[in-house]
Amino acid sequence: MTLTTPEPDGGLVSRVRAVDGVVDVYGSPLQQISGILAAATGRSGERQADIAVSVRDGIPRVAARIATDPEYDTPETARRVADVLAENSPEDATITVQIARIH
């Protein structure tokens, strides 16, 4: 299976956000810094969500940073997000889900 490109209308980010217990999907730290700088200089302050995709040593890596709702079991929410990422990634991909915030 090939990786689904994150798209605003029904893409991978939207699928991750639709998982029960997910409050938000965060971009990479580098993206967050560039968004803060853009807002400070009067450019677009719109934060971008991101599913990080890379290849290391020939192995695809897919990573998401999420915020979870404390009323849901956080480890179970992370597992469901990992399942969504795995369903939309190559079979040999390494999947990582980071809990950036619980709120």
Side-chain angles (χ1 to χ4, degrees):
M1 179 175 278
T2 58
L3 183 67
T4 304
T5 304
E7 297 171 358
D9 53 332
L12 190 53
V13 170
S14 297
R15 291 178 191 170
V16 169
R17 279 192 175 125
V19 171
D20 288 339
V22 172
V23 174
D24 205 353
V25 179
Y26 296 114
S28 68
L30 184 58
Q31 246 185 340
Q32 290 178 351
I33 291 169
S34 66
I36 291 168
L37 292 173
T41 59
R43 290 186 243 147
S44 172
E46 186 176 316
R47 184 177 55 77
Q48 297 179 11
D50 183 36
I51 303 295
V53 179
S54 62
V55 176
R56 184 181 296 166
D57 299 325
I59 299 171
R61 297 173 183 267
V62 182
R65 296 178 68 237
I66 63 171
T68 61
D69 183 328
E71 294 198 18
Y72 288 83
D73 181 69
T74 296
E76 182 58 32
T77 299
R79 278 190 279 283
R80 287 192 302 268
V81 169
D83 289 344
V84 167
L85 296 175
E87 289 168 5
N88 293 279
S89 300
E91 282 186 34
D92 61 341
T94 299
I95 306 296
T96 304
V97 178
Q98 179 185 19
I99 308 303
R101 187 171 185 175
I102 301 172
H103 65 97

